[in-house]
């Protein structure tokens, strides 16, 4: 662990994205963290393991990702702030617990970090876990810099408690393993000891009619999240012309660099929340443009969904991206 991770609030220190993720959790008052090591997520655990000895929260390396997620879930169900994290393929192992978790919800803040690995730098595949967020009903946030990684993890704990849902923070290799200046914030006081008290008797019993009821609740929560968080988690950089760009995560920084190098002044829509997608804001951005380029890593996740949104809100806009072989 870089000793800079525990520097005083207000310090600006060089941190890996993974160290910034750990610091964000610490600032949020982390009580419990669990993980199974796997690059590109490992440094989160290495950082928290050392910080736990100094700060007193609980950290453990688990037998596998499913166990890690269940440790964190149990802590969050007891009112504590908890985080589990894993590389992208680790979500396959944790999926059984996570799919049901979104129906059950949570009491304390619960953040799940997936460290995806485009280009398979240290992995057996290039699995794109944005699809998991949709399938599970997990709200998903994607940072574009180490500073955002820290800030979004911190914020995700508050949002998790606000909506009684776990939040997924999706990093990728070029966030996790980039070192950049990060401004540190205050560290909240930990809660320390939890108490398991379900909000209602059937909350954690996902069978039959109960699961169907909780599924409806989940869909209602996601609808609220889309409407309430869109103004805060969507950024539009002004520009001119009939071409616009939609992007998210580290690809946003690539877009800015390329635009500067090419002298382009085009409207850019940056999506920090990529599930649920803010359809109304995307529709507003599309109107008035003739062509929109979707810039993203791995699968055409955004491209396919923006096309669906455009069909009803801006049918004459041409959506370009991976499907045309442009990226």
């Amino acid at each position: 662990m870089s000793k800079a991770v525990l520097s005083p609030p207000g310090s600006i220190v060089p941190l890996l994205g993974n160290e910034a993720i750990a610091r964000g959790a610490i600032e949020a008052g982390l009580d419990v963290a669990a993980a199974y090591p796997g690059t590109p997520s490992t440094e989160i655990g290495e950082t928290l393991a050392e910080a736990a000895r100094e700060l007193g929260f609980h950290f453990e390396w688990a037998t596998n990702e499913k166990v890690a997620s269940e440790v964190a879930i149990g802590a969050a169900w007891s009112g504590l702030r908890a985080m589990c994290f894993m590389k992208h393929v680790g979500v396959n192992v944790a999926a059984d617990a996570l799919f049901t978790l979104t129906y059950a919800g949570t009491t304390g803040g619960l953040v799940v970090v997936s460290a995806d690995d485009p280009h398979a730098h240290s992995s057996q595949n290039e699995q794109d876990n944005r699809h998991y967020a949709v399938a599970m009903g997990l709200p998903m946030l994607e940072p574009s810099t180490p500073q955002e990684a820290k800030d979004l993890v911190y914020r995700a704990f508050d949002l998790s408690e606000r909506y009684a849902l776990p939040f997924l923070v999706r990093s990728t290799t070029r966030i996790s393993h980039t070192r950049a200046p990060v401004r540190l914030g205050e560290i909240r006081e930990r809660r320390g000891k939890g108490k398991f008290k379900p909000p209602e008797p059937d909350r954690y019993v996902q069978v039959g009619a109960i699961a169907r009821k909780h599924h409806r609740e989940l869909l209602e929560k996601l609808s609220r999240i889309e409407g309430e968080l869109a103004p805060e988690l969507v950024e539009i950089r002004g520009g001119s012309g009939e071409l616009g760009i939609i992007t998210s995560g580290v690809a946003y920084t690539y877009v800015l660099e390329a635009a500067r190098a090419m002298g382009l002044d085009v409207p850019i829509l940056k999506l920090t929340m990529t599930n649920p997608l803010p359809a109304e804001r995307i529709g507003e951005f599309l109107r008035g443009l003739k062509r929109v380029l979707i810039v993203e890593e791995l699968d055409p996740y955004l491209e396919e969904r923006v096309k669906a949104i455009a069909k009803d809100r801006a049918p004459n806009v041409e959506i370009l991206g991976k499907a045309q072989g442009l990226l």
Side-chain angles (χ1 to χ4, degrees):
M1 177 188 77
S2 167
K3 294 187 182 299
V5 171
L6 297 182
S7 296
S11 303
I12 299 176
V13 296
L15 296 182
L16 282 178
N18 280 344
E19 293 172 335
I21 288 169
R23 173 69 189 208
I26 291 169
E27 289 183 6
L30 180 70
D31 294 295
V32 174
Y36 179 82
T39 304
S41 73
T42 306
E43 294 86 359
I44 305 172
E46 292 174 340
T47 302
L48 290 176
E50 290 192 40
R53 288 193 283 269
E54 184 167 337
L55 300 178
F57 59 84
H58 176 79
F59 172 79
E60 67 177 76
W61 290 116
T63 304
N64 57 45
E65 292 88 351
K66 184 174 187 290
V67 173
S69 65
E70 290 171 344
V71 168
I73 291 166
W77 280 356
S78 300
L80 300 178
R81 289 196 153 188
M83 182 169 77
C84 61
F85 48 93
M86 57 207 74
K87 68 182 292 166
H88 58 317
V89 292
V91 178
N92 300 332
V93 183
D96 181 54
L98 296 179
F99 266 101
T100 305
L101 171 63
T102 52
Y103 280 29
T106 185
T107 307
L110 177 56
V111 175
V112 180
V113 177
S114 170
D116 287 14
D117 192 15
H119 202 66
H121 294 278
S122 56
S123 306
Q124 61 268 52
N125 65 39
E126 294 185 277
Q127 176 178 312
D128 190 332
N129 279 355
R130 292 178 294 178
H131 302 292
Y132 260 133
V134 176
M136 292 176 178
L138 271 173
M140 176 168 56
L141 308 177
E142 295 196 61
S144 62
T145 65
Q147 179 72 60
E148 277 193 5
K150 180 191 80 73
D151 295 342
L152 285 178
V153 167
Y154 180 92
R155 182 122 188 255
F157 279 99
D158 289 339
L159 293 175
S160 174
E161 292 180 353
R162 174 175 165 184
Y163 294 103
L165 270 181
F167 267 65
L168 174 67
V169 175
R170 177 182 180 259
S171 179
T172 58
T173 306
R174 295 306 185 199
I175 295 295
S176 290
H177 288 166
T178 290
R179 190 175 296 276
V182 175
R183 181 182 293 276
L184 306 184
E186 298 284 343
I187 296 177
R188 288 181 177 176
E189 185 176 349
R190 293 184 298 106
R191 295 169 185 175
K193 186 174 182 180
K195 182 177 181 180
F196 182 72
K197 187 178 180 181
E200 57 264 358
D202 66 359
R203 173 50 54 185
Y204 304 132
V205 183
Q206 300 306 318
V207 292
I210 297 172
R212 291 194 295 273
K213 180 183 76 169
H214 291 166
H215 190 192
R216 288 193 296 272
E217 291 176 4
L218 171 61
L219 296 176
E220 290 166 1
K221 287 179 182 179
L222 291 172
S223 179
R224 283 178 51 214
I225 288 169
E226 178 183 346
E228 294 172 5
L229 297 186
E232 309 167 34
L233 296 172
V234 174
E235 178 184 339
I236 298 178
R237 291 178 65 96
S240 58
E242 297 175 334
L243 169 68
I245 297 174
I246 297 178
T247 187
S248 68
V250 73
Y252 173 69
T253 65
Y254 301 158
V255 166
L256 293 184
E257 183 178 359
R260 282 194 295 266
M262 299 170 68
L264 295 177
D265 179 29
V266 297
I268 300 171
L269 177 66
K270 176 192 177 189
L271 298 170
T272 300
M273 181 174 69
T274 49
N275 188 58
L277 280 176
E280 287 302 321
R281 293 297 301 275
I282 292 172
E284 292 169 7
F285 180 78
L286 294 174
R287 287 191 282 272
L289 298 172
K290 286 191 174 179
R291 293 184 300 164
V292 170
L293 178 66
I294 313 297
V295 181
E296 57 188 322
E297 295 182 298
L298 298 179
D299 297 345
Y301 170 89
L302 291 177
E303 181 180 346
E304 292 170 356
R305 285 156 180 79
V306 169
K307 284 178 177 176
I309 291 168
K311 181 178 180 296
D312 294 327
R313 293 170 173 83
N316 295 323
V317 177
E318 184 181 12
I319 309 298
L320 305 170
K322 291 176 178 285
Q324 292 77 26
L326 298 177
L327 296 170

